Amino acid sequence: MQKIYIRNTIGWHITDRDFSNQLNEALDTGEKIQIMINSPGGSVYMGWAIFNEIRHAIKEGADIETYNIGLAASMASVILTAAEKDKINVAENSMTMIHNPSGMAFGEKDKMKKETEILGKIEDLMSAWYAKVTGTDQGYMRAVMAATTWYKPKEAKLEGLASKIVDGGEEIDKVEVVGMDESAFKGMPSGLNKVLCFAEETPTMKTNQYVDLTKISNAQIREKAWKNYIRY
């Protein structure tokens, strides 16, 4: 049995590259894989990359189950549903949350309009997937996302976001949230203030990961900005 952990904020504490390396190592063993999630979400694009790697591995014959062992919120709830319908597990003391994507932009009004357009397209993709996995209407899922909906285990199962409720069996660590503030978690159950830790700083970049901005085009800089600031 191989376990891969997705902890804390996607894009800061775990990247798509980190996950890909761990997944490939697990796949090489030929053993069953459990993906253990305790995350508030994070980068949309890195989250989709992780999601798609899981889906691809399953299509190639991998036996993968996902587990919400504490919190699967925002983009992490999408990753939770990457497993086959009967292999999505939530711990009996976990919470699952879905909401609309959010982002940041800087510039004049046309750039602000572009940000709104991009967020709308991401919302389309998210609501379409949630509708597919739950067997509900996309309009219904749009409303659920707009309301920032929190699910206890039985509610997540009833909604179709999980197939099994399991004994926690894992110590639930403090979840560090970077790049998002509490406004993105409106309606948060009061008990979660003991789990979520909102941090302002990002992890220190390794010295061998510097970027020479003089050798990057404006288009590449804009691409990096979107990747870093579109959050779900």
Side-chain angles (χ1 to χ4, degrees):
M1 179 78 70
Q2 297 290 310
K3 290 186 179 183
I4 300 174
Y5 287 87
I6 297 177
R7 296 188 186 276
N8 297 317
T9 308
I10 299 164
W12 276 274
H13 303 96
I14 182 168
T15 66
D16 51 338
R17 179 177 293 182
D18 297 333
F19 181 83
S20 181
N21 291 337
Q22 294 180 63
L23 180 61
N24 287 328
E25 289 179 6
L27 290 171
D28 286 343
T29 69
E31 298 177 8
K32 181 177 180 178
I33 300 172
Q34 293 181 336
I35 298 174
M36 319 297 281
I37 301 169
N38 188 28
S39 169
S43 167
V44 168
Y45 303 126
M46 285 196 186
W48 274 128
I50 291 171
F51 171 93
N52 289 329
E53 287 225 43
I54 296 170
R55 298 293 291 176
H56 177 73
I58 291 171
K59 288 181 180 179
E60 292 293 311
D63 186 0
I64 298 178
E65 289 190 327
T66 55
Y67 286 79
N68 176 357
I69 59 171
L71 175 66
S74 196
M75 197 63 208
S77 69
V78 176
I79 296 172
L80 176 68
T81 61
E84 292 297 301
K85 184 69 176 178
D86 61 341
K87 295 186 177 182
I88 304 171
N89 305 276
V90 292
E92 60 188 357
N93 55 354
S94 66
M95 292 291 290
T96 303
M97 183 270 272
I98 68 175
H99 65 172
N100 281 337
S102 60
M104 296 175 61
F106 176 80
E108 37 82 24
K109 59 181 175 56
D110 288 340
K111 290 185 178 181
M112 299 297 103
K113 290 179 181 178
K114 190 65 176 180
E115 166 79 348
T116 301
E117 179 185 336
I118 291 173
L119 288 175
K121 290 181 177 182
I122 294 172
E123 183 182 324
D124 288 342
L125 293 173
M126 298 295 179
S127 58
W129 171 250
Y130 284 133
K132 181 177 180 179
V133 77
T134 61
T136 56
D137 178 78
Q138 187 174 2
Y140 167 75
M141 293 313 302
R142 285 182 185 278
V144 170
M145 290 168 61
T148 303
T149 302
W150 294 84
Y151 298 93
K152 292 187 291 186
K154 289 183 180 179
E155 294 168 335
K157 184 177 179 181
L158 182 64
E159 189 74 278
L161 295 170
S163 54
K164 299 176 186 175
I165 300 173
V166 297
D167 179 8
E170 295 268 351
E171 181 179 352
I172 300 176
D173 295 329
K174 194 91 171 174
V175 179
E176 186 175 24
V177 184
V178 180
M180 295 179 282
D181 59 30
E182 294 184 56
S183 65
F185 293 81
K186 61 184 180 182
M188 177 176 65
S190 58
L192 275 182
N193 58 16
K194 299 177 182 179
V195 177
L196 299 183
C197 175
F198 291 89
E200 295 182 359
E201 70 280 356
T202 58
T204 303
M205 182 177 288
K206 296 179 181 178
T207 55
N208 64 347
Q209 291 181 311
Y210 73 92
V211 177
D212 185 350
L213 294 179
T214 64
K215 296 181 180 179
I216 297 181
S217 68
N218 288 335
Q220 288 175 311
I221 292 174
R222 287 195 295 271
E223 180 182 356
K224 288 178 180 295
W226 284 121
K227 184 174 183 181
N228 287 335
Y229 286 111
I230 297 293
R231 300 284 170 249
Y232 177 63

